[in-house]
Each structure stands twice: as structure tokens, then as C-alpha cells.
Amino acid sequence: MNAGGSDDADGARQLRLLPWYGLHGGPAYVIADPERPGPVSRYADVVEATHLEMAAVLLGHARELAAEAGPTELRHLVAELTQALNDTLRIASGVRR
């Protein structure tokens, strides 16, 4: 295994960025085997699927509200969309490293 946490040639184990942050706000990782996911990897899969589903629902609400919402609703919508986009980009860019 190399210093990065993944096996060299066979790639059996990989360093996986988790969809939540560590204790001090930094990235959290688990060494994962894609062929035999452990409980942390399976839970991360559930969290990621939930984030993506929530983002899709929020996008639907945004489409409905964008034309008729007032300033307060739009500020709330922008805050929620920002968080959903952050979660989605984290999943898309760092599921496996």
C-alpha cells in the first residue's frame, strides 16, 4: 500500500472522500475496497444518495418559486441551493480518490 492509502497496481483499496466533514471541519476519508464495501462506505453511499435526491427536489421547488418568490423566500432558496450544490459537487469530485 502506498502512502496515500490505496493499493498500487491492482487498485483494490482506494482512499474515499466521505460526504461529511471530519471533527475539525476538514475532509474525512475511509480506505475502501470497492469490491467489498464496509459499513462506513455503505453509509456514505446512503448519505450521498440522500444529498442527490434532496438536490433534485430542491431544484424542482426552485423552478416553481423563482418567478413568484419574494426577497425573503429567494434568500432562503439561494442558501439551500448553495448547500445542495456544495454537497453535489463534493460527491461528484471526490467520491473516490
Side-chain angles (χ1 to χ4, degrees):
M1 186 180 308
N2 66 26
S6 59
D7 288 347
D8 292 329
D10 63 358
R13 293 167 35 139
Q14 300 174 353
L15 193 60
R16 178 182 179 167
L17 177 65
L18 296 171
W20 54 82
Y21 294 95
L23 292 176
H24 302 289
Y29 297 92
V30 66
I31 297 173
D33 180 349
E35 298 298 319
R36 296 178 49 200
V40 174
S41 289
R42 289 191 305 270
Y43 182 67
D45 290 341
V46 170
V47 171
E48 289 169 354
T50 301
H51 282 317
L52 294 175
E53 183 178 336
M54 289 170 53
V57 169
L58 184 58
L59 182 58
H61 289 304
R63 287 183 175 133
E64 293 171 7
L65 292 175
E68 60 192 53
T72 301
E73 292 87 3
L74 286 176
R75 277 194 296 276
H76 179 72
L77 181 61
V78 167
E80 294 297 319
L81 285 170
T82 301
Q83 183 61 50
L85 183 57
N86 182 64
D87 293 342
T88 303
L89 288 174
R90 184 174 173 86
I91 292 166
S93 66
V95 172
R96 304 247 192 289
R97 285 207 191 273

